[in-house]
Amino acid sequence: MDIQFLGAAREVTGSCFLIRVGRKRILVDCGLIQGSPEDEERNRDSFPFAADRIDAVVLTHAHLDHSGRLPLLVQAGFRGPIYTHRASRDLCRIMLKDAGNLNEREAEAVNRKRRRRRLDPVEPLYTVKEAQRAMRRFRGLDYDEIRRIMPGVHVRLRDAGHILGSAIVELWLEEDGLARKLVFSGDLGHHGSPILRDPSPVEEADLVILESTYGDRLHRSWEATWGEMAEIFREARSEAGNILIPAFAVGRSQELLYTFAKHHRDWGLDDWSIFLDSPMAIETTQVYARHKEVYDPEAVKRSQENGGNPFALPNLQMTRTPRQSMGINRVRSGAIILAGSGMCTGGRIKHHLKHNLWRDETHLVFVGYQAHGTLGRRLVDGAREVELWGEPVKVGARIHTVGGLSAHADSEGLRRWYAGFTRGPALALVHGEETPMEVLGDRIAELRGRQGIFRPGNGERIDLAELPERAGTG
């Protein structure tokens, strides 16, 4: 009985963990590696296991760095069930299809150039049809129900509060009289964030696999964060500029729309034209509106008061078509534009950057994590010139990083969640860069000592039989 770390091991993306229980094989997550072109090329590598030997997948949530290689897994021979929350299943139906469509378009663009050079064509990473084929393997679960998924393996999903349907995964394992309980944090949500409930506490485990994305920082208070957003709107309005917000289509866009609706009057948002310029974000917002069963009490109340839709705004335009999107570029002042991708690696935000980034009156607001090697990270780090479609573009816009809006728990939130376990279970830190992981490890060592805190590298294993038994089988 062991666990092998095959992704998000001393890096942030590509979440993938393989558990062996006797002859059974379970994957927790199967995510895309994101970042630089060199990093993303690794997604084409063969899996370090036989896909047809995997008996089941448990998916923590729909973000592509956790779900994005599932079509490749099915393509490689996986025929088992994929267990996840019902809302995550609905989001994956959107996200994996969109990823397949993007793969096809990227391959088509590359192949046009290759044909002129008489080179063999490249295949898309996977297609829309392959993404849809993977969706047939999904099995929806509710929070808090214990499900036997195979002999000797039980699973329960708990609310992680990160995005709609995001889950903490509890796994009870039994083999030849040995019982172990693993708890995967998935991505833990930011305490007090809009719409969703705070992460559920879990008390017992033998091994906790904990994300560490923001393990070295503390988020600003929500009050200060919203105050900063309001000030950006005031400054941009006085300077007759536009506001560009590269926003992830799943989670961040919905949080922003919800907050804009909540503060519509006191932030003076009726003076703006607000554009949600992302077909995927529009479709995702509709999924969010359907799953009110996972809302926090305030969001439930606001939904009831707002005609059943907590995202409705009188001056919101949802631009689905390319023609509608291009029309936004004629707006020289007074536009708030939410568009993907959240790290500026593709999508409609790049077109809006081309038309606005060089303008001094533009405000560019980053509201999420920017991975190394991405355009967003270069802008956050202070680049004064970037390249868009082979053309250099000067950076005249004011760059804002509103870190308090993160959907991830900060160092204190991660430490506090781990502190809810009894008897200090063993800990494996994942989904983080070296410094955040080290800082978080030091903070948690103050609670339970350093023994039993792991920072596994890619491919490393932990023998679960060698862990002290702490939690039992529940």
Side-chain angles (χ1 to χ4, degrees):
M1 186 188 297
D2 66 20
I3 177 173
Q4 187 175 16
F5 298 83
L6 299 173
R10 301 188 186 179
E11 60 182 335
V12 173
T13 63
S15 184
C16 187
F17 312 102
L18 175 61
I19 298 140
R20 297 175 176 86
V21 186
R23 294 184 178 181
K24 300 296 183 182
R25 304 288 184 270
I26 305 114
L27 278 187
V28 174
D29 288 348
C30 189
L32 281 177
I33 300 163
Q34 297 172 316
S36 69
E38 293 76 20
D39 288 332
E40 295 187 356
E41 188 63 27
R42 292 158 54 199
N43 290 310
R44 294 184 178 272
D45 294 346
S46 299
F47 290 108
F49 50 78
D52 59 357
R53 291 285 314 280
I54 302 298
D55 296 284
V57 176
V58 181
L59 176 65
T60 60
H61 65 287
H63 276 152
L64 290 179
D65 63 320
H66 294 257
S67 70
R69 292 188 83 195
L70 288 170
L72 294 174
L73 188 72
V74 173
Q75 185 180 341
F78 172 70
R79 294 296 179 267
I82 301 169
Y83 295 101
T84 194
H85 190 273
R86 298 179 193 279
S88 291
R89 179 186 59 190
D90 290 349
L91 290 179
C92 280
R93 188 172 288 113
I94 297 169
M95 297 187 71
L96 295 179
K97 179 183 176 182
D98 182 80
N101 182 54
L102 181 61
N103 293 338
E104 291 178 14
R105 287 191 282 118
E106 287 179 344
E108 182 180 348
V110 169
N111 286 335
R112 282 198 298 269
K113 297 177 182 178
R114 292 179 68 87
R115 281 195 295 270
R116 289 194 291 267
R117 298 162 60 190
R118 298 196 175 190
L119 296 175
D120 292 334
V122 299
E123 295 295 324
L125 185 64
Y126 54 83
T127 66
V128 170
K129 286 185 177 180
E130 287 164 341
Q132 293 171 330
R133 181 183 174 202
M135 288 306 307
R136 302 187 194 121
R137 317 306 311 173
F138 276 64
R139 306 291 182 268
L141 302 177
D142 293 320
Y143 288 136
D144 302 326
E145 63 169 307
I146 296 179
R147 175 77 65 93
R148 179 181 180 270
I149 61 173
M150 63 187 69
V153 181
H154 291 74
V155 66
R156 177 166 62 185
L157 305 182
R158 308 293 294 276
D159 195 339
H162 174 62
I163 63 167
L164 194 80
S166 59
I168 298 159
V169 172
E170 297 178 276
L171 279 178
W172 289 269
L173 312 173
E174 295 184 16
E175 178 190 350
D176 297 332
L178 178 66
R180 291 289 184 265
K181 182 185 178 187
L182 307 186
V183 175
F184 294 80
S185 71
D187 287 355
L188 289 181
H190 182 180
H191 188 89
S193 62
I195 307 172
L196 303 178
R197 298 186 288 257
D198 293 333
S200 298
V202 183
E203 294 185 352
E204 293 188 333
D206 296 298
L207 175 66
V208 176
I209 297 89
L210 177 61
E211 68 123 325
S212 56
T213 313
Y214 288 126
D216 63 340
R217 71 184 69 180
L218 299 175
H219 296 322
R220 300 179 68 190
S221 70
W222 284 109
E223 181 180 5
T225 297
W226 300 136
E228 182 179 2
M229 288 290 291
E231 181 61 28
I232 292 170
F233 295 142
R234 283 192 292 269
E235 289 181 7
R237 192 58 177 157
S238 68
E239 296 170 6
N242 291 329
I243 298 175
L244 307 185
I245 306 178
F248 299 105
V250 178
R252 190 54 39 78
S253 292
Q254 291 71 42
E255 289 177 347
L256 290 171
L257 291 179
Y258 176 88
T259 306
F260 290 173
K262 180 178 178 180
H263 292 283
H264 188 261
R265 290 185 178 178
D266 53 303
W267 287 3
L269 295 180
D270 51 346
D271 292 332
W272 294 84
S273 296
I274 302 173
F275 298 92
L276 182 61
D277 190 30
S278 165
M280 186 166 71
I282 294 168
E283 196 172 355
T284 298
T285 302
Q286 294 170 344
V287 173
Y288 263 71
R290 289 201 302 268
H291 283 279
K292 298 180 180 67
E293 75 278 5
V294 300
Y295 287 8
D296 67 16
E298 181 189 274
V300 170
K301 181 180 178 182
R302 292 196 62 82
S303 178
Q304 293 169 344
E305 295 173 347
N306 209 23
N309 183 1
F311 309 107
L313 283 158
N315 53 342
L316 173 63
Q317 299 181 49
M318 294 190 176
T319 50
R320 296 177 181 272
T321 69
R323 180 181 295 273
Q324 291 171 327
S325 178
M326 287 186 287
I328 299 172
N329 293 322
R330 293 192 294 269
V331 181
R332 308 305 294 169
S333 175
I336 299 172
I337 306 166
L338 281 71
S341 68
M343 297 184 191
C344 303
T345 53
R348 294 180 178 180
I349 192 63
K350 292 184 71 175
H351 294 277
H352 297 305
L353 289 173
K354 179 180 180 180
H355 287 271
N356 290 274
L357 186 61
W358 52 271
R359 301 175 65 207
D360 293 341
E361 62 270 29
T362 297
H363 290 251
L364 176 58
V365 185
F366 287 98
V367 292
Y369 178 79
Q370 303 299 309
H372 283 293
T374 63
L375 174 58
R377 185 61 169 257
R378 292 198 295 277
L379 289 166
V380 166
D381 288 344
R384 302 314 306 162
E385 183 178 281
V386 297
E387 188 174 283
L388 294 171
W389 295 286
E391 179 183 346
V393 177
K394 295 289 185 182
V395 179
R398 288 187 57 183
I399 310 296
H400 306 267
T401 303
V402 186
L405 279 173
S406 174
H408 286 268
D410 64 6
S411 183
E412 175 55 25
L414 295 168
R415 187 202 66 82
R416 184 172 58 242
W417 183 78
Y418 175 82
F421 287 91
T422 60
R423 295 178 288 176
L427 175 68
L429 294 174
V430 298
H431 203 286
E433 297 170 357
E434 287 286 354
T435 298
M437 200 175 296
E438 183 177 351
V439 171
L440 181 61
D442 289 343
R443 294 204 70 197
I444 291 177
E446 296 172 0
L447 297 174
R448 45 100 63 221
R450 293 188 179 278
Q451 186 175 3
I453 296 180
F454 305 97
R455 288 189 289 159
N458 194 50
E460 290 187 22
R461 300 185 187 191
I462 294 177
D463 187 339
L464 301 179
E466 296 180 356
L467 299 175
E469 187 168 353
R470 297 175 184 271
T473 61

